[in-house]
Amino acid sequence: MGPSDWHDSGMTRPPVPAFAARPVLMVALSVGVVLTALSGRYGYHRDELYFMVAGRHLSWGYVDQPPLTPFIARVSTAVFGDTVMGLRVLSTVSTVVTIVVIALLAREFGSARRGQVLAAICAAVSGFVLGVGHMVSTATYDLLAWMLIGLFAVKLLRTRDGRWWLALGLTAGIALENKYLVVLPIGALLVSLLIVGPRSVLRSWWVLAGIAVAGLIALPNVVWQFQHDWPQLKVAGGISSDDGTENRIMFVPLQILQLSPFLVPFWIAGFRRMWRSWARPVALAYPVLCIVVLAVGGKSYYALPLLLVLVAAGGEPMLNWVDRRRGSAIVVLVLTALTSAVFTLPVLPASAVDLVIPVNKEQGEQIGWPAFTDAVAAAWQHVPADQRSTATIFAGNYGEAGALLRYGPARGLPSPYSPHMSFYEWARPPDTNTGPVLLIELERTPIYESHFRDCNQVGTINSIVSNDEDGTALVLCAAPAEPWSTLWPKVRQYY
């Protein structure tokens, strides 16, 4: 009886192989050591600066995200130190666990010891896993959630035990407190089940129980979004309208580049293996998800986690190739590790990062924030000393505001204000701030300057890399054109 017979008959599946715990843990912990060693080399990413501030304003929701990642950032810095390395400890732990889960997925597909280890190695050297593991981001914890959802979904299909819906619901509920994207893989899987079956797993009260668990856990953030007029929908709309066309054009190339071109044979082998087995709906979920992401103009990485599920399934069938061409296989995996490290980890000198920014712009966003703050401090000196008590620093985005809160006090700067994302909610300049306004603008624009009087550029950010802040204008205006309480809603920015 072949794999397809197991799918059609509904008979009990054969037991899974033993878990290769020791070698898999060695692979995962090796990645943890590398990430820890490199975690403090460049500096904070702009998003991390934002998460740390959000963590000091704990809430059930924020304009652009649910609360889990800011909460984790606060816990990590409180426990491990208020440094770059301290912030990233739990991100590293999450990545180690992710690699273990990918090996467990390989085991569920029937991979024996060597297939599990090969799947773990492929995950460990992939660019996406290393990239999101290096920093604190919503994608870091989202990846772990997707892998757990994949694991529980595969267990559900393999065993036909409806109780796995509870594990799916629990994981999905927690993931929804981190990022709403988790609805995508679950939706893709449900569509795939309706198309190719087995539909019997949907005819169970456990499905409703899983939905109830997920809804109960996600409810506090949903209520927060409702009470604040669903700001995250405005953010998502901005992303799609601004970047949708580019996202669609780059979707396929980035699917290959962000995981690694060398791993393409593995995920193709994994897709073929699943398509011929009881795991067919899991295989179909990936192209279904790609169609959805392309339709909405989402970012390419939205679909990457399901590629890792394919890689997990592809380890075992690729063993024949590895055995026949052991030398070539070692070279391929080493090249994958090296290229992934260069493009996603802080291994290059900061001055050379422009080489990798076209593929991974996040590298550049970790460089230059102290120097950025130095430039703002120099521009602040143009404000007459007797007017500084009523003057305002106006940051155009949350990265700038986060950096100034982090590095500004040591340079004698007052707290900045920003209308971007949740910074808009956290603080507004008082109406008594009737003096000069130092505007920080990625590029000079009437969107901001029309609200102030007599604006003149007094400085420019010159970064050593071509990141978003390179060329940012520092513009000094004489005063706001109207009270801040009136002006503030007019300059709010969701994206």
Side-chain angles (χ1 to χ4, degrees):
M1 181 176 286
S4 59
D5 297 318
W6 290 107
H7 181 276
D8 294 335
S9 68
M11 296 177 65
T12 302
R13 309 292 191 271
V16 296
F19 180 48
R22 181 174 295 181
V24 167
L25 282 173
M26 288 179 62
V27 172
L29 290 173
S30 296
V31 173
V33 169
V34 171
L35 293 178
T36 300
L38 295 173
S39 63
R41 186 154 187 268
Y42 288 165
Y44 295 106
H45 187 277
R46 69 165 60 245
D47 291 351
E48 293 176 318
L49 293 164
Y50 179 48
F51 294 143
M52 289 192 298
V53 181
R56 296 198 293 270
H57 295 83
L58 289 178
S59 173
W60 279 113
Y62 302 92
V63 167
D64 54 333
Q65 65 188 321
L68 187 57
T69 295
F71 174 75
I72 292 174
R74 178 164 176 172
V75 170
S76 195
T77 52
V79 175
F80 301 105
D82 193 11
T83 64
V84 180
M85 293 184 69
L87 173 68
R88 292 173 173 173
V89 170
L90 295 183
S91 177
T92 298
V93 172
S94 177
T95 302
V96 170
V97 176
T98 295
I99 293 171
V100 173
V101 174
I102 289 170
L104 287 169
L105 268 165
R107 174 177 177 257
E108 290 294 322
F109 292 126
S111 299
R113 180 184 181 90
R114 295 175 63 224
Q116 296 171 32
V117 174
L118 184 56
I121 291 172
C122 288
V125 300
S126 69
F128 183 61
V129 172
L130 292 177
V132 301
H134 167 59
M135 302 181 306
V136 174
S137 70
T138 53
T140 306
Y141 308 110
D142 210 37
L143 175 59
L144 175 56
W146 281 47
M147 292 302 97
L148 287 170
I149 287 170
L151 177 64
F152 298 144
V154 169
K155 283 181 174 291
L156 171 69
L157 292 172
R158 184 180 64 78
T159 65
R160 304 291 177 88
D161 186 344
R163 288 174 294 183
W164 286 110
W165 282 111
L166 285 179
L168 280 165
L170 176 65
T171 307
I174 295 172
L176 284 167
E177 292 289 2
N178 178 63
K179 200 166 187 174
Y180 294 152
L181 286 180
V182 71
V183 300
L184 295 180
I186 294 176
L189 179 62
L190 291 175
V191 170
S192 299
L193 285 170
L194 291 173
I195 294 173
V196 299
R199 299 181 185 90
S200 60
V201 299
L202 300 174
R203 294 191 291 269
S204 167
W205 73 271
W206 289 108
V207 177
L208 297 178
I211 292 172
V213 169
L216 185 64
I217 296 173
L219 183 61
N221 178 249
V222 174
V223 171
W224 188 95
Q225 286 285 326
F226 172 77
Q227 291 174 337
H228 291 78
D229 197 27
W230 304 100
Q232 197 153 357
L233 294 179
K234 298 181 177 68
V235 175
I239 292 174
S240 180
S241 62
D242 280 17
D243 300 333
T245 301
E246 180 183 352
N247 290 342
R248 294 182 180 96
I249 292 171
M250 294 301 297
F251 181 83
V252 173
L254 289 179
Q255 288 290 287
I256 296 171
L257 290 173
Q258 289 178 334
L259 198 61
S260 175
F262 297 111
L263 295 181
V264 171
F266 287 84
W267 53 264
I268 291 176
F271 182 88
R272 294 179 62 188
R273 182 188 187 190
M274 287 194 290
W275 188 254
R276 297 170 178 174
S277 77
W278 52 267
R280 178 178 291 186
V282 182
L284 182 60
Y286 174 67
V288 169
L289 178 59
C290 289
I291 291 171
V292 173
V293 174
L294 282 168
V296 301
K299 297 180 184 296
S300 63
Y301 77 83
Y302 291 179
L304 280 176
L306 285 191
L307 263 187
L308 287 168
V309 177
L310 302 186
V311 169
E316 186 85 3
M318 288 297 292
L319 283 174
N320 291 332
W321 175 79
V322 171
D323 290 337
R324 291 196 310 268
R325 300 176 177 83
R326 186 174 298 273
S328 298
I330 292 173
V331 170
V332 165
L333 291 173
V334 170
L335 283 175
T336 303
L338 291 175
T339 54
S340 295
V342 166
F343 281 97
T344 63
L345 299 179
V347 296
L348 295 175
S351 58
V353 168
D354 276 352
L355 296 174
V356 301
I357 284 179
V359 174
N360 180 19
K361 70 183 292 290
E362 311 308 332
Q363 290 278 63
E365 299 307 311
Q366 303 169 69
I367 295 170
W369 291 112
F372 163 88
T373 310
D374 287 337
V376 174
W380 181 251
Q381 297 305 310
H382 289 81
V383 178
D386 61 345
Q387 297 181 36
R388 290 176 190 170
S389 62
T390 60
T392 303
I393 296 180
F394 182 104
N397 63 60
Y398 63 62
E400 297 165 352
L404 293 173
L405 283 171
R406 182 69 181 179
Y407 301 110
R411 293 159 174 79
L413 293 176
S415 293
Y417 297 92
S418 177
H420 191 218
M421 300 300 187
S422 284
F423 267 100
Y424 174 90
E425 305 277 355
W426 295 330
R428 170 180 62 79
D431 285 344
T432 53
N433 277 23
T434 56
V437 179
L438 180 60
L439 290 178
I440 305 171
E441 306 177 87
L442 292 181
E443 57 185 21
R444 297 193 64 175
T445 169
I447 293 175
Y448 291 142
E449 292 185 25
S450 62
H451 298 284
F452 304 98
R453 298 192 181 97
D454 191 19
C455 297
N456 297 284
Q457 189 164 341
V458 295
T460 303
I461 303 297
N462 295 307
S463 178
I464 63 171
V465 296
S466 299
N467 57 19
D468 283 351
E469 297 301 326
D470 188 34
T472 291
L474 303 175
V475 178
L476 185 61
C477 303
E482 53 190 328
W484 283 104
S485 56
T486 304
L487 182 157
W488 202 236
K490 299 177 182 179
V491 294
R492 182 168 195 172
Q493 294 294 317
Y494 286 100
Y495 180 66

